[in-house]
Amino acid sequence: MSTIEESRQELDQGERFDAIVIGAGFAGLYALYRLREAGLRVRVYEAGDGVGGTWYWNRYPGARCDAESLAYSFSFSPDLEQEWEWTERYATQPEILRYIEHVAGRFDLLRDIRLERRVATAHYEDEAQLWNVTTEQGDRARAPLCIMATGCLSVPKAPDVPGVETFTGPQYLTGLWPHEGVDFTGQRVGVIGTGSSAIQAIPVIAKQAAQLTVFQRTPNFSVPAHNHPLEDDFVRQFKPNYREHRRFHKLGLAGGFGDTEIEPRERTPAAEAVMALSDEEFTEICEDYWATGGARFLAAIADTMLKDEANQRVADFVHQKIQAIVKDPATAEALCPTSHPIGSKRICVDTGYFETYNRDNVRLVDLTRTPIDHVTADGIQTSAEHVPFDILVLATGFDAMTGALLGIDIRGAAGERLRDKWAAGPQTYLGLMVSGFPNFFTITGPGSPSVLSNMIVSIEQHVDFIMDCLAHMKAEGVDQVDAEAEAEAQWMAHVSEIANATLMPKGGSWYLGANVPGKPRVFMPYAAGVGVYREVCEQIVADDYRGFVFSRSAEAG
Ligand code: NAP
């Protein structure tokens, strides 16, 4: 065969890289940075027309992170963390997106990223031992290594409300918000959903709209953010301790999302067991955490997620807060969650959410009493009434953790489809690899702490693990890695055992896939915490990568 023909064939098969990364959010950008630093030629595909992933798509009013900005940022570059100035305790979506864009520019990452490319297939070629990736836009690329940086909450759940397609006014999904924004001035608005996204959006929409009706199926626990501008003095005193803070975040010593007090401290205070506390002590601790604000409220009482009694006592405390804030007793009662333990659905962090129901232009429709019958051309028909509005906002959540992975036709060795392998729920080793899918890594995949942690802490740990693994392979003269089926099965049993030792699976939440009709019920995140998980990973590496199997491809010789 002529050389020209050979190169044409090669082009047809796709340009050759050392690694293909799918997604250009926090995970994809850090993976690209590290892979390139190791001298690899990388191609990143990203569906959006900009970088940022979750923070690119979720532009709904009020969107901000519920991990504090000083902790929810990359730790890999001490210079970056000293240079970047966060303006608020909890950063808004636009500020986080600016940060991500700054990182992409500062580390010259954009040149390896192809935007507006939605990956359609990723197939492992047994003979060539390469991943062959195609996009809906017609790109083709091949590489020995394929890294999924596709995010945990990146695929909005298809709205499963009857008649939603018949609504004639504008309708918006919080997770796919228009870039130009939405003007609610003078409009009647209906919001379906009361999860984190809705709880952030509702107070902001209420201030603009003429009338806002919230359709609530399940009330959620929410704690005040007590957001505020970051004071220069505080930041100046915090920043010299940044390395120590990061060390604690990585070890999970400062709570799941990261402590950001000026002086880092090893443990969140007062993590008392509930039975040992008098009423006064219990209330004092909870009040202290409530006044501090944020998701760390769940750490106030040590056994909140372990014992029904403790959980109920903490839930009662929040109920009392809701009843004290919301003036109308019937609305207050409807807003008090009673059908799931606190923390078993992701705790929400809000700014004025419950207070919003004291406004004259806001009304709550309790769907447990009067369920939605169907959406009409101009509103919602419940079992009791027709509620008219001009704009519909669907804050109805995501096909979490597996949605983005299963949205791509992924096939491993011998053509095995990921969709078939995961038909009864995700199977991974450490949330990092899938047995039978060689050289294929998932960043913060199901089976890792992922959504139960500060995502950036987990992303950095996974990418660092992958990079160490690649260095190990190079040193050993091998170029293929897979997970052992038995190690994978044992890991998933362990993930489930850890979850079942807590109250987490009782929430019927998206952690379990329970929000998506027909999705297998498997508790997906690893609930033992980032510190424990990191130790497990380190021990596995120390045991010569226990559970991983390495080999040499024909190409490596
Ligand atoms: P979510 O927590 O899954 O909430 C979806 C809401 O829509 C729930 O209230 C759900 O009610 C309701 N819903 C869904 N389908 C419905 C239907 N057919 N009829 C009536 N109600 C329906 O989704 P999310 O609010 O987008 O949040 C998802 C996750 O994203 C969060 O848990 C969090 O991890 C992350 N997030 C984080 C932030 C942050 O950092 N601050 C902000 C937003 C999101 P049911 O509960 O009854 O199903």
Side-chain angles (χ1 to χ4, degrees):
M1 210 190 310
S2 75
T3 351
I4 294 177
E5 212 164 300
E6 269 173 6
S7 33
R8 187 179 306 131
Q9 259 192 20
E10 208 167 295
L11 264 182
D12 286 348
Q13 288 171 325
E15 198 180 341
R16 173 75 193 263
F17 296 90
D18 297 322
I20 297 170
V21 175
I22 304 175
F26 275 112
L29 292 182
Y30 183 52
L32 169 59
Y33 171 80
R34 291 292 318 269
L35 289 162
R36 213 158 71 180
E37 199 185 40
L40 302 191
R41 197 164 163 255
V42 188
R43 164 60 41 90
V44 180
Y45 289 121
E46 163 57 50
D49 72 2
V51 296
T54 288
W55 299 106
Y56 170 91
W57 299 105
N58 284 269
R59 296 170 189 242
Y60 60 83
R64 62 173 78 236
C65 188
D66 59 8
E68 291 185 51
S69 53
L70 286 162
Y72 189 79
S73 49
F74 280 126
S75 78
F76 71 84
S77 162
D79 288 344
L80 171 68
E81 73 193 3
Q82 292 298 328
E83 287 159 20
W84 183 262
E85 299 290 349
W86 294 105
T87 64
E88 293 179 72
R89 180 183 182 189
Y90 295 99
T92 60
Q93 174 272 332
E95 186 165 44
I96 298 172
L97 190 57
R98 273 201 301 282
Y99 171 77
I100 299 174
E101 287 167 351
H102 170 77
V103 171
R106 191 190 188 285
F107 297 99
D108 187 25
L109 300 176
L110 291 173
R111 66 184 154 92
D112 290 324
I113 303 172
R114 294 294 171 271
L115 299 170
E116 295 185 89
R117 301 292 201 285
R118 189 170 285 282
V119 169
T121 66
H123 294 173
Y124 182 71
E125 296 172 23
D126 291 310
E127 206 166 309
Q129 293 179 299
L130 292 174
W131 282 92
N132 192 329
V133 172
T134 67
T135 72
E136 288 176 5
Q137 289 68 30
D139 309 75
R140 273 182 177 281
R142 298 163 99 208
L145 185 64
C146 184
I147 298 182
M148 304 303 290
T150 41
C152 293
L153 292 156
S154 44
V155 176
K157 185 180 87 136
D160 53 355
V161 192
V164 73
E165 68 291 347
T166 64
F167 185 70
T168 52
Q171 58 175 283
Y172 305 103
L173 276 169
T174 47
L176 289 178
W177 202 258
H179 287 201
E180 62 280 12
V182 177
D183 183 7
F184 294 102
T185 313
Q187 303 289 305
R188 294 168 306 169
V189 183
V191 173
I192 302 182
T194 46
S196 295
S197 302
I199 279 178
Q200 290 186 331
I202 284 166
V204 183
I205 298 175
K207 285 187 189 144
Q208 238 186 51
Q211 180 67 41
L212 170 62
T213 311
V214 178
F215 296 88
Q216 171 190 273
R217 191 164 63 184
T218 312
N220 260 307
F221 290 98
S222 187
V223 288
H226 297 313
N227 185 41
H228 53 74
L230 280 174
E231 284 152 15
D232 289 350
D233 268 7
F234 176 86
V235 177
R236 244 196 318 275
Q237 290 179 65
F238 176 90
K239 280 195 168 178
N241 295 321
Y242 230 138
R243 294 289 84 200
E244 192 63 354
H245 278 285
R246 299 294 199 189
R247 193 171 72 78
F248 286 166
H249 298 169
K250 287 175 202 290
L251 296 174
L253 287 175
F257 290 174
D259 205 343
T260 54
E261 302 190 357
I262 287 175
E263 295 286 342
R265 51 180 162 177
E266 295 243 351
R267 302 217 174 271
T268 45
E272 310 276 355
V274 77
M275 295 317 288
L277 298 170
S278 69
D279 282 350
E280 291 72 31
E281 287 167 327
F282 175 85
T283 307
E284 196 183 323
I285 292 170
C286 288
E287 287 288 359
D288 180 32
Y289 274 76
W290 188 268
T292 305
R296 75 179 68 175
F297 176 77
L298 274 185
I301 302 297
D303 41 8
T304 303
M305 294 317 301
L306 299 174
K307 297 204 188 85
D308 288 316
E309 264 172 310
N311 194 282
Q312 189 58 54
R313 213 169 161 191
V314 178
D316 290 345
F317 176 86
V318 179
H319 291 167
Q320 284 161 22
K321 288 287 179 196
I322 297 170
Q323 277 149 357
I325 297 169
V326 180
K327 290 186 183 135
D328 174 51
T331 305
E333 193 194 334
L335 285 166
C336 286
T338 52
S339 62
H340 61 276
I342 185 168
S344 63
K345 285 184 184 232
R346 166 69 175 256
I347 190 117
C348 304
V349 178
D350 72 273
T351 299
Y353 174 65
F354 294 115
E355 291 81 350
T356 297
Y357 292 94
N358 294 332
R359 296 176 66 99
D360 291 339
N361 67 334
V362 177
R363 185 186 159 210
L364 182 73
V365 173
D366 179 357
L367 301 178
T368 60
R369 288 175 191 274
T370 56
I372 294 179
D373 189 74
H374 62 284
V375 179
T376 66
D378 62 348
I380 282 181
Q381 178 67 50
T382 71
S383 62
E385 61 178 325
H386 183 256
V387 183
F389 47 78
D390 310 303
I391 299 178
L392 174 58
V393 174
L394 294 155
T396 41
F398 297 88
D399 182 355
M401 304 199 72
T402 55
L405 293 166
L406 295 178
I408 298 171
D409 175 10
I410 297 170
R411 300 186 197 180
E416 185 182 16
R417 287 166 198 264
L418 190 66
R419 286 175 195 155
D420 293 338
K421 168 143 184 160
W422 285 9
Q427 294 287 314
T428 71
Y429 185 41
L430 299 171
L432 266 165
M433 288 206 84
V434 182
S435 174
F437 293 70
N439 286 10
F440 176 86
F441 289 96
T442 51
I443 302 179
T444 66
S448 71
S450 59
V451 292
L452 297 180
S453 66
N454 176 327
M455 287 306 293
I456 304 185
V457 171
S458 284
I459 284 167
E460 288 189 330
Q461 190 244 334
H462 264 192
V463 173
D464 292 348
F465 184 98
I466 295 167
M467 296 312 299
D468 289 349
C469 182
L470 295 178
H472 169 79
M473 289 163 68
K474 195 170 176 191
E476 296 291 311
V478 295
D479 60 356
Q480 298 281 303
V481 57
D482 199 347
E484 284 170 8
E486 201 183 319
E488 179 178 87
Q490 280 172 5
W491 179 253
M492 291 316 288
H494 174 62
V495 170
S496 162
E497 187 190 358
I498 292 288
N500 289 333
T502 74
L503 304 176
M504 303 284 288
K506 290 191 174 177
S509 68
W510 56 258
Y511 297 144
L512 267 171
N515 64 328
V516 176
K519 191 165 170 172
R521 300 276 174 113
V522 172
F523 193 87
M524 295 181 281
Y526 181 57
V530 285
V532 171
Y533 177 77
R534 185 179 294 269
E535 275 171 30
V536 169
C537 288
E538 284 170 0
Q539 195 52 55
I540 283 171
V541 171
D543 294 349
D544 211 10
Y545 283 91
R546 177 169 31 88
F548 290 95
V549 21
F550 296 98
S551 59
R552 199 188 302 253
S553 72
E555 193 173 301

